[in-house]
């Protein structure tokens, strides 16, 4: 096996993961907060645990990846690398969005510093505005600096929760 036999799959898998972050952010902004709001709405409303209609988006992506695994395994191998990239991105999405931010796993871990804290706070700010319009930060793995996002929220007309990005013990006491 030559070096290229190794390099091509690695570059294709890494490229697909990077592309998926762009595509996820784009579709979150333009589809889920657009004509696809019907499913995504469930994720922006308070509810008691369990599944959300919004989880169907993950199912759609998973079905697409399974299809690519099939075609890639039997007909055209490059599609296999793309399928692996999409699957890796799926795990990243579950780890960051469902796990880290929304705590849908059976333990509590709130990141206190660095990149993880920034991703966590950025997505909390995504949920700071009620409803479909006026939201910021649509990505899941990459996040803009938190002060930039707060500025964007200040520059849109809707009211928003100014403490959304803070964890419970960092909020100013209510009075
Ligand atoms: Zn959203
Ligand atoms: Zn969310």
């Amino acid at each position: 096996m030559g070096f290229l036999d190794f390099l091509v799959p690695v570059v294709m898998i890494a490229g697909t993961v990077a592309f998926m972050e762009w595509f996820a952010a784009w579709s979150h902004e333009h589809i889920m907060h657009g004509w696809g709001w019907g499913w995504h709405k469930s994720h922006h409303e308070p509810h008691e645990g369990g599944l959300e209609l919004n989880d169907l988006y993950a199912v759609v992506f998973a079905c697409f990846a399974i299809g690519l695994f099939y075609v890639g395994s039997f007909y055209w191998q490059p599609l296999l690398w793309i399928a692996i990239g999409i699957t890796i991105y799926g795990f990243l999405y579950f780890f960051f969005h469902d796990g880290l931010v929304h705590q849908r796993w059976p333990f509590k871990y709130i990141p206190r510093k660095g990149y993880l804290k920034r991703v966590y706070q950025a997505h909390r700010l995504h949920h700071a505005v009620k409803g479909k319009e006026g939201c910021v930060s649509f990505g899941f793995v990459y996040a803009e600096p938190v002060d930039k996002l707060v500025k964007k929220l200040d520059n849109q007309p809707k009211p928003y929760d100014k403490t959304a990005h803070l964890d419970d013990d960092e909020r100013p006491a209510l009075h």
Side-chain angles (χ1 to χ4, degrees):
M1 209 170 112
F3 179 61
L4 272 185
D5 297 323
F6 172 75
L7 187 70
V8 169
V10 168
V11 169
M12 282 195 72
I13 291 169
T16 302
V17 173
F19 171 81
M20 282 304 291
E21 169 61 7
W22 174 82
F23 183 68
W26 182 87
S27 50
H28 184 192
E29 182 169 2
H30 298 285
I31 296 176
M32 295 167 202
H33 281 253
W35 55 266
W37 177 248
W39 282 3
H40 191 55
K41 187 171 179 252
S42 60
H43 181 61
H44 280 265
E45 284 173 346
H47 64 92
E48 297 285 313
L51 291 171
E52 303 166 353
L53 205 52
N54 182 57
D55 295 327
L56 285 175
Y57 280 116
V59 175
V60 169
F61 276 107
C63 289
F64 182 68
I66 290 166
L68 287 181
F69 268 112
Y70 181 81
V71 181
S73 302
F74 295 107
Y75 301 102
W76 198 52
Q77 206 181 30
L79 292 181
L80 189 59
W81 313 133
I82 292 174
I84 291 171
I86 295 174
T87 305
I88 291 173
Y89 186 78
F91 282 111
L92 290 174
Y93 170 81
F94 276 113
F95 175 79
F96 286 108
H97 179 261
D98 289 46
L100 204 64
V101 182
H102 293 296
Q103 303 283 319
R104 291 175 92 181
W105 47 28
F107 54 92
K108 196 170 164 73
Y109 166 70
I110 310 286
R112 299 288 176 190
K113 58 179 164 45
Y115 163 70
L116 290 183
K117 180 175 183 170
R118 167 164 151 179
V119 171
Y120 173 85
Q121 293 194 322
H123 192 72
R124 299 268 296 207
L125 286 171
H126 175 69
H127 286 276
V129 182
K130 281 205 167 58
K132 178 179 162 189
E133 266 109 39
C135 298
V136 297
S137 191
F138 293 92
F140 300 103
V141 176
Y142 168 77
E144 282 183 89
V146 169
D147 52 342
K148 252 188 156 177
L149 294 171
V150 169
K151 240 176 234 151
K152 276 191 187 175
L153 283 167
D154 285 334
N155 287 333
Q156 57 85 42
K158 285 169 74 175
Y160 72 96
D161 176 3
K162 290 187 195 298
T163 61
H165 58 302
L166 300 176
D167 191 38
D168 296 342
D169 57 358
E170 294 175 326
R171 281 170 212 272
L174 296 171
H175 49 87

